[in-house]
Amino acid sequence: QVQLVESGGGLVQPGGSLRLSCVASGTNLRINSMAWYRQAPGKEREPVASITVGGATTYADSVKGQFTISRDNAKNTVYLQMNTLKPEDTAVYYCNRASGLFATWGQGTQVTVSS
């Protein structure tokens, strides 16, 4: 059974940075295109960044130039580097496949951007 464990969130002031991690078990991320998603209060979950098996990346317009997705296949881990954070980035962040989602989501990691 696939398990995804996100970590690295927290409370940060506007303009700050965080690095999120997603560790997978029960699957080899090397063969999966992966993505980070976020869900803000009262809103639907939305994709923010994805990375293919070959390392090609795509970003939502709202985070281009601000977020960077990467992967370490040896550690079966996907990362999301978030810079210049804004209050509107406040959300619970999740990882999953970019398409053909794993049925079970992780618990997510809360990111709160506030002064």
Side-chain angles (χ1 to χ4, degrees):
Q1 184 176 354
V2 175
Q3 283 192 314
L4 302 167
V5 179
E6 300 93 348
S7 63
L11 173 62
V12 63
Q13 292 187 342
S17 298
L18 285 173
R19 188 193 194 203
L20 307 184
S21 300
C22 168
V23 180
S25 61
T27 187
N28 189 341
L29 291 188
R30 186 188 306 271
I31 62 172
N32 291 286
S33 291
M34 295 296 294
W36 281 95
Y37 303 78
R38 67 184 180 187
Q39 186 167 19
K43 295 187 177 181
E44 292 189 355
R45 190 174 295 169
E46 61 175 359
V48 294
S50 65
I51 185 166
T52 68
V53 170
T57 57
T58 58
Y59 298 93
D61 287 344
S62 58
V63 304
K64 279 181 182 177
Q66 184 188 358
F67 291 3
T68 302
I69 187 171
S70 62
R71 64 196 302 158
D72 186 336
N73 291 333
K75 295 182 178 180
N76 224 29
T77 301
V78 178
Y79 302 99
L80 186 68
Q81 177 67 44
M82 305 187 297
N83 298 326
T84 321
L85 284 162
K86 311 166 188 175
E88 51 264 41
D89 295 317
T90 295
V92 180
Y93 285 73
Y94 304 86
C95 68
N96 206 315
R97 280 205 290 218
S99 61
L101 297 171
F102 293 123
T104 302
W105 291 78
Q107 83 289 348
T109 186
Q110 175 71 49
V111 172
T112 303
V113 185
S114 175
S115 55

